[in-house]
Amino acid sequence: MTEMMKAAVFEKIGVIKVKEVPLPEINENEVLIKVKLTGICGTDWSIYNGWYSADKLPMIPGHEFSGEIAKLGKNVKGFEIGNRVTADINMSCGTCFYCLRGEKLLCDQFTQLGIHTDGTFAEYVKAPAGQVHVLPDNLSFEAGAFIEPVSCVIHAAKALDAKLGSSIAIIGDGLGTLHARMAVLRGLAPVIVFGHNRKRLEIAKNMGADYVFHTDDVADPVAEVMKLTGGRGADYAIEAAGKVETYEQAFAMLRRGGTLSSFGITGEDDEMTIRPFELVLGEKKITGSCAGVGQDWPDAMTLISRGRIDPKPLFSMKVPLEDLEWALHELRSNRNLFKIFVSPEITEREEL
Ligand SMILES: [Zn+2]
Ligand SMILES: [Zn+2]
């Protein structure tokens, strides 16, 4: 008899059903993980609305997760049943032009667990053992389910490779709060953050941002950055809001020779305007970063377990699997909520 589990299946655009589905079957190189918590991400909202992965429905999303190993494939070494874990969600073919150059995120057959394949809004998920990371003992399951977003911020910070003592402007107060923390850790100053939620800006401030601005309070964010950087513009800017308008602003915030880090995800066909003149005579640069991968994951675990990053102020609540759809809508309407975790093990909502 097929073993069954409970899962939140996104059946078609705008329809989620919590129901019994077959337990994932693992091959000899995979592990089965009993899911403890899954953080709800903007990507889940995009899948729910058919803006992303619509061709994959019906599927079980969920990719920011922690759990315990429940079963080991025959060839799997170095893990034990019960290990507290998370897993790198980025899958690649290993043999294409990009994979051979170590550029896994650009793989011709790039897929992400819970975004393109069944994920963790379920009691169990399977993952290749090579992607699984054991959580340090002092990491909670909440923090474990938050490694993925932190790894993305780490990946962007490595791509930007900012120099000590440089100035940085960050647009966005979602993961922008973590970018601010990362900028502080890298010795950047001043760290200037723009956002549209006072509670989140307060968190950014507590994470070490020197200046935080609510966009309602500043007529011209670019002028504000000029004022704080001797009229030159910032050495670096990060766009973490995902809008064309703010990409153009972030680029305009740069001094000559400055670098823009592209982090916020815009619509696939959105276009921004750049004067090539600023790239040539102004020597401005642009970097991109798509996800946290490989070493970014252990780095994220180290920075949290050693107290360099405290993600706890960003954790809002825990809800049962059955409340996933409610939570997706709630996150849209109540901007004071940040991270909501879904648990297949609880029956009541819990504040964190
Ligand atoms: Zn995510
Ligand atoms: Zn590949």
Side-chain angles (χ1 to χ4, degrees), residues 156-174:
K158 288 177 184 171
L160 190 58
D161 199 18
K163 286 202 185 84
L164 184 83
S166 307
S167 56
I168 187 162
I170 298 163
I171 302 182
D173 55 13

Side-chain angles (χ1 to χ4, degrees), residues 17-258:
K17 278 211 182 102
V18 176
K19 60 182 195 183
E20 295 283 310
V21 298
L23 203 69
E25 269 178 51
I26 58 169
N27 69 27
E28 62 273 25
N29 300 313
E30 292 175 326
V31 301
L32 186 71
I33 300 165
K34 185 171 193 330
V35 177
K36 285 282 179 185
L37 292 175
T38 302
I40 300 178
C41 168
T43 308
D44 302 315
W45 177 252
S46 296
I47 298 172
Y48 177 67
N49 284 290
W51 303 327
Y52 205 76
S53 278
D55 57 322
K56 302 285 189 298
L57 302 181
M59 72 168 289
I60 304 164
H63 61 274
E64 303 179 1
F65 81 104
S66 58
E68 285 175 349
I69 292 185
K71 204 171 172 183
L72 299 165
K74 213 165 65 243
N75 298 340
V76 174
K77 302 251 174 351
F79 293 101
E80 281 169 32
I81 305 285
N83 278 160
R84 302 162 70 251
V85 297
T86 184
D88 184 340
I89 61 169
N90 302 291
M91 316 280 181
S92 61
C93 74
T95 58
C96 75
F97 173 93
Y98 295 103
C99 283
L100 292 178
R101 280 155 187 78
E103 295 175 333
K104 190 176 170 183
L105 295 174
L106 308 179
C107 172
D108 289 333
Q109 289 165 56
F110 180 65
T111 56
Q112 292 175 302
L113 184 143
I115 296 174
H116 308 101
T117 64
D118 280 343
T120 60
F121 290 133
E123 287 181 291
Y124 292 89
V125 69
K126 64 175 181 179
Q131 313 263 127
V132 174
H133 297 284
V134 175
L135 300 175
D137 288 340
N138 70 344
L139 239 63
S140 63
F141 281 116
E142 285 84 0
F146 201 64
I147 298 299
E148 195 272 337
V150 175
S151 77
C152 293
V153 170
I154 287 176
H155 193 78
K158 288 177 184 171
L160 190 58
D161 199 18
K163 286 202 185 84
L164 184 83
S166 307
S167 56
I168 187 162
I170 298 163
I171 302 182
D173 55 13
L175 287 183
T177 53
L178 284 181
H179 283 292
R181 180 69 199 145
M182 201 62 67
V184 171
L185 291 176
R186 287 184 77 103
L188 304 193
V191 175
I192 308 159
V193 180
F194 296 90
H196 55 248
N197 181 289
R198 297 192 195 277
K199 191 172 163 189
R200 292 175 179 204
L201 287 169
E202 189 61 35
I203 294 172
K205 185 101 199 183
N206 293 337
M207 291 211 174
D210 299 283
Y211 302 96
V212 297
F213 295 103
H214 194 288
T215 41
D216 285 353
D217 303 341
V218 283
D220 181 0
V222 178
E224 212 60 55
V225 171
M226 294 300 156
K227 236 189 283 171
L228 292 169
T229 54
R232 284 185 305 276
D235 298 307
Y236 302 99
I238 300 176
E239 205 287 354
K243 296 200 186 78
V244 171
E245 187 200 348
T246 40
Y247 264 99
E248 290 174 349
Q249 272 176 359
F251 191 70
M253 284 170 181
L254 295 173
R255 68 162 171 83
R256 289 194 299 281

